[in-house]
Amino acid sequence: MIQQISVCAAILMVVGLGILETVLGSASMSWGALNAGFWAGPHSHDIAARIIWSLRIPRFFLAFLTGATLAGAGALLQAATRNPLADPFLFGLSSGAATGAVAVIVLCGDLLGIWTAAVGASVGGLFATGALLLLIVFRRKKNLGVSTERVLLSGLAVSFFFSTLTNLLIFWGDRNTAQSVLFWTMGSFSGASWSALPIVGLGFLPVVLCGHTYRRELDALMAGEETAASLGINIQKLRLCVLALCAFGCAMTVALCGPIGFVGLIVPHLVRPVWGSSLKRNFMPAIVAGGMLTVMADILSRCVLPSQELPVGIVISAIGAAFLLVLLLRR
Amino acid sequence: MPDVILRAEGLGYDGALALADLSVRAGEHIAVIGPNGAGKSTFLKLLAGLLTPSHGQVTLAGKPLKSFSRREIARQVAWLSQSDDVACEFLVSDYIALGRLPFQEMATPAEDKAAIRSAVKHCGVGSLITRVMGSLSGGERQRVMLARCLAQTPRILLLDEPTNHLDLAARSELLALLRTLPITILAVLHDLSLVPDFAARTVLLSDGHLTMDGLSQQVLFSTMFEETFRLKVHQITLDDGHASLLFRPETS
């Protein structure tokens, strides 16, 4: 019963947030103008229609899909590593993607148009995945143990390494590029446009497909590695698939919005009390909740300061920090 | 021997197990006993295909285990670990359904449902399926884990200390349940008093060697058993006529 109520509430909230995301912004508009602009359609020359259809609606989709991708990736990584602290950031996937994107922006400029950062980010994200896997394989070969804690520490090492590279690239880049890259690294949905949506969609798709395809295998893995193996699961292959697909998904979001932390970490924890631990039940709710969280954070980022937009990464980090504090004080 | 379902030939694993031979006939219930570090869990994991032997081989229904895929093994052999650390919020019904994973894209939903229903009924966990794993007692949890194994509809069930962390009542309840199962079972048992009730045949391991394999009564009353455990076994007859075993340290 509680789950049916949650579904209805989620649908209403997504619609409500969509309306709020469209209504609120730096350009204040009356309800009448908004209503007229919305019904005028995307091809109208009316200023309100252009703001709504060219900026705010794509921004809503961008924010929602970004949050959904990050939350889905977080849920998958937490299951694959059997570690509730796993998240695209802690594994260095987002940092690698950020390094790739920054490297392309600083070194090559606008080579492939809107896809430039996406290509750089996906290469960077996959490099980070490769680095993480190399560390794990090295530890396994040397019999140093590959417990989830060690994997997490390896991820942190990869994350710090790529963050250092990003900072070095910003430091070496020219002043204007460095400034724009610095703003980008704080996370923002200001680059939203209809043409950008296929990029984030391209990242969202593998994460959803991965969750849909492997949710039962990942559930078995959560019951223990030996139990999963006894159920016929190839654990190494499963983890490699999940890591690679999540890295690609996160890279696409990083390319468009910059690295946005905490979503992948906190959202799976938010949905578990209602939907349980099984990915079969909580994966789709995590996707929706992740989307809602980033849309809410985006609305906040545009309303919290008068006539100025705060980078959404800062708002989400603040929410994430508060969440972790509450978690620490309660458990 | 056509009814030999599982055979270990010169099975070894690094320093943990050496040259173990065993033939298991279909439907047999076998207890695997031995002191801590004797290699019991390693032996069971090798039989389940969870570890690759460094020497020898395991054959399943006459074919080398390594010729089967992981999923094919899982369709015939179920393995129950000492304790699954499944998350507390996991629903019991979801957990039992994991047993159907090896049959994914093979079995029809109706077949899956029937296998799960039968496992649930066999283990008497029908009243627990809407609960979460974290709310179960040790005995309930063990029965649910067994139901997950039975949902695999296995020919062979390998149990690594299934009575671990259970109180006396839950232990006898679980063993009574195991006795009713018409499949091949190999169980590592730490509580030696449970052995005669559970299995007619017992395998004794010591320091990574399979030192004895025979009827449970023979093994428990053997000199090898006394030397391995440094325990003397006494059979006492209770007021109701049932015989029970008493283990006392050799020194006393």
Side-chain angles (χ1 to χ4, degrees):
Chain A
M1 183 63 181
I2 191 165
Q3 294 184 351
Q4 278 92 329
I5 294 170
S6 305
V7 171
C8 295
I11 293 169
L12 286 175
M13 281 177 78
V14 171
V15 173
L17 285 170
I19 294 169
L20 274 179
E21 176 88 339
T22 316
V23 168
L24 299 172
S26 49
S28 58
M29 278 183 271
S30 67
W31 277 101
L34 272 166
N35 198 25
F38 181 81
W39 293 111
H43 304 297
S44 166
H45 292 292
D46 176 53
I47 189 78
R50 285 176 69 180
I51 288 173
I52 291 167
W53 284 101
S54 303
L55 296 175
R56 294 188 183 170
I57 292 178
R59 186 168 178 139
F60 165 74
F61 283 116
L62 177 67
F64 189 86
L65 287 175
T66 298
T69 306
L70 292 173
L76 293 174
L77 289 172
Q78 286 175 17
T81 57
R82 307 182 61 240
N83 192 318
L85 291 177
D87 141 89
F89 260 83
L90 283 178
F91 278 158
L93 308 183
S94 298
S95 308
T99 307
V102 170
V104 170
I105 294 167
V106 171
L107 303 174
C108 310
D110 212 6
L111 207 64
L112 298 170
I114 195 163
W115 289 88
T116 310
V119 171
S122 51
V123 171
L126 294 176
F127 258 107
T129 312
L132 179 64
L133 290 173
L134 268 178
L135 262 173
I136 294 168
V137 169
F138 176 80
R139 289 192 63 85
R140 198 182 289 277
K141 276 200 170 164
K142 294 270 175 193
N143 281 329
L144 291 169
V146 280
S147 61
T148 44
E149 292 81 7
R150 299 287 170 192
V151 172
L152 209 65
L153 283 173
S154 305
L156 270 178
V158 171
S159 182
F160 281 123
F161 172 74
F162 280 101
S163 296
T164 309
L165 273 184
T166 307
N167 289 336
L168 269 177
L169 284 165
I170 294 172
F171 179 73
W172 282 331
D174 70 74
R175 213 172 155 181
N176 286 340
T177 314
Q179 209 158 25
S180 65
V181 166
L182 200 63
F183 184 79
W184 173 82
T185 56
M186 290 180 199
S188 170
F189 298 123
S190 57
S193 66
W194 287 109
S195 56
L197 288 182
I199 297 175
V200 76
L202 201 65
F204 175 69
L205 220 59
V207 171
V208 172
L209 281 177
C210 182
H212 183 72
T213 313
Y214 296 123
R215 62 191 197 277
R216 289 185 73 193
E217 279 88 344
L218 289 167
D219 276 348
L221 190 51
M222 280 197 279
E225 289 191 9
E226 285 176 340
T227 299
S230 77
L231 287 165
I233 294 163
N234 186 334
I235 297 169
Q236 310 299 340
K237 195 177 140 196
L238 176 66
R239 282 190 168 144
L240 184 67
C241 278
V242 171
L243 259 178
L245 291 173
C246 288
F248 181 76
C250 294
M252 294 297 110
T253 67
V254 167
L256 283 177
C257 321
I260 296 172
F262 281 114
V263 179
L265 175 67
I266 61 176
V267 172
H269 288 274
L270 290 174
V271 297
R272 270 184 207 125
V274 180
W275 297 89
S277 292
S278 166
L279 272 182
K280 199 175 89 180
R281 294 181 191 279
N282 73 24
F283 183 69
M284 287 317 286
I287 292 261
V288 176
M292 279 164 40
L293 177 71
T294 41
V295 172
M296 273 192 272
D298 189 40
I299 293 168
L300 267 177
S301 75
R302 288 189 288 160
C303 299
V304 84
L305 295 177
S307 65
Q308 200 179 358
E309 185 180 320
L310 208 60
V312 75
I314 293 175
V315 177
I316 291 180
S317 294
I319 295 171
F323 171 80
L324 280 179
L325 275 174
V326 170
L327 211 67
L328 277 170
L329 293 173
R330 282 180 60 186
R331 293 185 201 171
Chain B
M1 282 167 47
D3 64 341
V4 169
I5 189 168
L6 190 69
R7 190 197 295 271
E9 294 166 290
L11 202 59
Y13 186 76
D14 293 334
L17 192 74
L19 302 171
D21 289 299
L22 184 77
S23 287
V24 182
R25 287 184 297 278
E28 262 192 307
H29 288 187
I30 301 175
V32 181
I33 59 169
N36 287 334
K40 305 180 295 290
S41 296
T42 306
F43 186 48
L44 225 61
K45 283 178 191 171
L46 287 165
L47 294 178
L50 297 176
L51 291 176
T52 309
S54 50
H55 315 286
Q57 68 164 355
V58 177
T59 54
L60 176 63
K63 280 182 172 175
L65 201 62
K66 60 184 177 193
S67 68
F68 292 91
S69 71
R70 279 171 201 268
R71 204 155 270 215
E72 282 168 341
I73 297 172
R75 281 185 220 123
Q76 302 198 51
V77 183
W79 184 77
L80 184 64
S81 66
Q82 286 179 27
S83 64
D84 272 14
D85 42 3
V86 64
C88 294
E89 299 102 335
F90 225 92
L91 263 180
V92 169
S93 56
D94 287 340
Y95 179 76
I96 295 173
L98 291 178
R100 298 307 295 165
L101 255 175
F103 299 90
Q104 207 172 16
E105 289 155 19
M106 276 185 69
T108 61
E111 284 169 335
D112 285 340
K113 238 180 202 171
I116 292 168
R117 202 179 299 133
S118 160
V120 166
K121 195 178 164 196
H122 233 109
C123 298
V125 291
S127 58
L128 308 176
I129 53 169
T130 51
R131 285 170 60 182
V132 290
M133 291 296 282
S135 71
L136 304 180
S137 69
E140 288 171 336
R141 195 179 170 89
Q142 210 69 1
R143 278 193 290 142
V144 166
M145 283 161 67
L146 188 64
R148 192 261 300 155
C149 287
L150 294 185
Q152 278 175 257
T153 54
R155 296 169 76 188
I156 302 165
L157 185 56
L158 303 174
L159 310 168
D160 194 358
E161 298 182 31
T163 56
N164 226 6
H165 312 302
L166 297 186
D167 60 29
L168 280 173
R171 278 180 199 188
S172 12
E173 205 176 285
L174 187 75
L175 282 188
L177 169 62
L178 289 174
R179 275 198 301 271
T180 63
L181 298 176
I183 53 173
T184 310
I185 304 177
L186 273 93
V188 170
L189 291 179
H190 253 311
D191 188 343
L192 300 169
S193 61
L194 301 172
V195 172
D197 272 348
F198 165 69
R201 185 177 165 194
T202 295
V203 169
L204 175 65
L205 276 101
S206 173
D207 283 333
H209 291 83
L210 199 156
T211 50
M212 208 173 167
D213 174 8
L215 293 175
S216 296
Q217 292 290 334
Q218 280 174 358
V219 174
L220 292 173
F221 288 95
S222 66
T223 323
M224 182 64 79
F225 176 87
E226 284 178 15
E227 283 171 3
T228 306
F229 283 96
R230 294 186 181 169
L231 287 173
K232 270 201 178 297
V233 191
H234 303 274
Q235 187 158 342
I236 51 170
T237 309
L238 303 172
D239 293 345
D240 61 359
H242 280 93
S244 186
L245 297 180
L246 182 71
F247 297 90
R248 291 204 313 169
E250 262 183 349
T251 47
S252 63

